[in-house]
Amino acid sequence: MEIIDTRRFFRNRFEYYMDNKDISELRDGSLLTLRDLCRVLQHDPEPFPPCYDPDLRKLCGHAYLIWFRQDRTYGEVTRLLARLFAAEDGLRPPVGGRWVREVLTSARAADYWLRSEKETTAILAEFDLAAS
């Protein structure tokens, strides 16, 4: 798939997620999920379009000023989403405080937080087997 299409699908899903807090109902011709697209774009240096600033303000909450200190990329948006998904999946505590700064300055790979519930369950099962 072309990177331009990938970014378009990402923007569609990002906007839908921000409006509905749901990523399951969007039908736009791609089988890729928002998590899939985050994995693909996690290192993308392309600047994220400023027309999505209101959504990013909503995403970042009271920590939004950290986001707007400089131009940000698709890769950085995926890191924020990955952290939210990790909280939703119970892999990390709920976001709060200085979470935007922590995510944007963290050296931790975002793809760990982008694993699906099925992948996470399989990994935890492997840990349980190893511990036995």
Side-chain angles (χ1 to χ4, degrees):
M1 184 173 9
E2 300 263 346
I3 190 70
I4 293 170
D5 290 334
T6 302
R7 289 179 184 136
R8 179 174 50 86
F9 288 134
F10 177 78
R11 290 189 309 269
N12 289 349
R13 280 162 182 70
F14 173 74
E15 189 172 36
Y16 189 85
Y17 177 77
M18 293 309 301
D19 290 343
N20 300 296
K21 292 295 183 207
D22 179 22
I23 54 177
S24 62
E25 296 298 319
L26 183 62
R27 306 283 184 249
D28 64 357
S30 174
L31 299 176
L32 296 173
T33 66
L34 181 56
R35 287 178 195 249
D36 294 334
L37 292 165
C38 284
R39 283 186 194 124
V40 171
L41 296 173
Q42 69 179 319
H43 300 293
D44 188 357
E46 179 74 17
F48 198 68
C51 63
Y52 293 94
D53 285 353
D55 286 329
L56 284 160
R57 184 178 181 148
K58 193 171 16 173
L59 176 70
C60 296
H62 69 277
Y64 74 93
L65 290 175
I66 300 294
W67 177 265
F68 293 110
R69 286 187 179 162
Q70 64 190 56
D71 289 338
R72 298 296 183 170
T73 67
Y74 279 85
E76 290 168 320
V77 176
T78 67
R79 293 181 75 171
L80 292 175
L81 289 172
R83 178 59 180 88
L84 285 178
F85 296 153
E88 289 174 3
D89 294 345
L91 298 172
R92 300 280 297 166
V95 296
R98 298 180 175 185
W99 79 277
V100 173
R101 182 181 176 282
E102 290 170 10
V103 168
L104 295 175
T105 60
S106 173
R108 186 171 189 173
D111 71 337
Y112 175 78
W113 295 335
L114 292 171
R115 297 179 193 270
S116 69
E117 186 175 328
K118 182 179 173 184
E119 290 169 319
T120 302
T121 302
I123 291 168
L124 293 175
E126 285 179 26
F127 285 142
D128 288 342
L129 285 175
S132 300

